[in-house]
Amino acid sequence: MTMDPLVLLTDVDRATDDLLRTVADLDPAAVGSPSLLPGWTVGHVLTHVARNADALTNLLITARTGVETPPYASPEEREAGINDGAGRPLREQLEDIRAAHERFADAGAAMPAEGWAVFLPWLGQSAAAVPWTRLREVTVHHVDLGLGYTPADWSDAFALRLLREVVAGAGADAHPLQLRPYGIEHVLTIGDAADAPVVGGPTKSIAAWLTGRGDGADLTVSPDGELPTPTRWK
């Protein structure tokens, strides 16, 4: 998948449209239905998707203007915003996502070339990583809605980049693994791979399993045995 933030902004447009199409014809009562995320309803997920767009818009504003604009006022404010917005009517939820996405898209379009290189402490990367961060949020949480969109609908490029990100970000407490996605020549390793089990299968399935969005039923493990329980992905 490209690293070009301008191209990724277009991918974010497409992913957002896909999510909105999934939700557009829902029974309004579905907002209160459980999502695939423990303790969250569909309304919680939708509200989070909207507020995440605003948080990342704030980061782009910081990179463009030099004026520090934190993504959220505080962790408590972030949680309260999601809880307070979760029970809103479906129509309001969809309008909120559309408006938040437009603000994000406008902020991306306003970025000067040099702005993408600005380091953002909250992200731990340059502003060029913001479009990917938004694409990941929209695409993964689309699955979390539990409305028929699954990791099988991810593009191979998205799944591979997500997989590599999970591997690169694995902490010292992560379960050691050797990952062999089909069609990828080199092994991806987590932790000390010397005696680690080898997990193979489709890239989408491995990425889904490692992020808690798949059960790994079509994956293989060597030596023969049960598939390890991956460390919880944050």
Side-chain angles (χ1 to χ4, degrees):
M1 174 170 280
T2 180
M3 298 291 287
D4 186 334
L6 298 180
V7 175
L8 287 172
L9 286 173
T10 301
D11 292 338
V12 173
D13 291 339
R14 187 178 302 111
T16 303
D17 286 343
D18 288 346
L19 184 149
L20 289 171
R21 277 194 294 272
T22 293
V23 181
D25 296 326
L26 278 182
D27 182 326
V31 168
S33 300
S35 74
L36 298 184
L37 291 177
W40 271 19
T41 64
V42 168
H44 282 90
V45 177
L46 293 175
T47 300
H48 171 62
V49 169
R51 298 289 71 78
N52 173 262
D54 286 336
L56 295 176
T57 296
N58 287 344
L59 295 187
L60 292 180
I61 291 172
T62 295
R64 178 172 60 83
T65 67
V67 178
E68 289 194 4
T69 309
Y72 299 97
S74 68
E76 294 76 19
E77 188 247 21
R78 172 186 178 275
E79 184 174 354
I82 294 172
N83 288 330
D84 291 346
R88 294 173 299 162
L90 179 62
R91 185 188 185 100
E92 186 176 333
Q93 297 267 15
L94 297 183
E95 290 175 351
D96 186 19
I97 291 175
R98 289 191 187 96
H101 171 68
E102 288 176 5
R103 290 190 291 270
F104 176 80
D106 288 347
M111 284 285 286
E114 62 273 15
W116 294 113
V118 173
F119 181 78
L120 297 168
W122 300 286
L123 195 62
Q125 301 179 71
S126 73
V130 170
W132 159 254
T133 301
R134 180 58 183 166
L135 179 62
R136 183 193 65 211
E137 288 289 309
V138 173
T139 306
V140 172
H141 286 311
H142 194 168
V143 172
D144 294 333
L145 290 170
L147 299 174
Y149 179 91
T150 74
D153 296 303
W154 292 346
S155 71
D156 290 330
F158 174 84
L160 181 57
R161 180 163 179 176
L162 178 62
L163 177 56
R164 286 174 170 161
E165 182 177 74
V166 174
V167 169
D173 61 339
H175 195 299
L177 292 169
Q178 298 184 60
L179 306 173
R180 293 183 177 272
Y182 295 160
I184 306 301
E185 293 183 1
H186 59 284
V187 179
L188 302 176
T189 61
I190 295 177
D192 183 1
D195 297 313
V198 178
V199 175
T203 303
K204 296 178 187 180
S205 298
I206 297 177
W209 170 66
L210 279 180
T211 57
R213 271 74 185 180
D215 61 8
D218 58 344
L219 301 180
T220 63
V221 59
S222 178
D224 291 340
E226 292 186 2
L227 196 64
T229 299
T231 304
R232 183 175 181 272
W233 179 64
K234 300 178 180 180

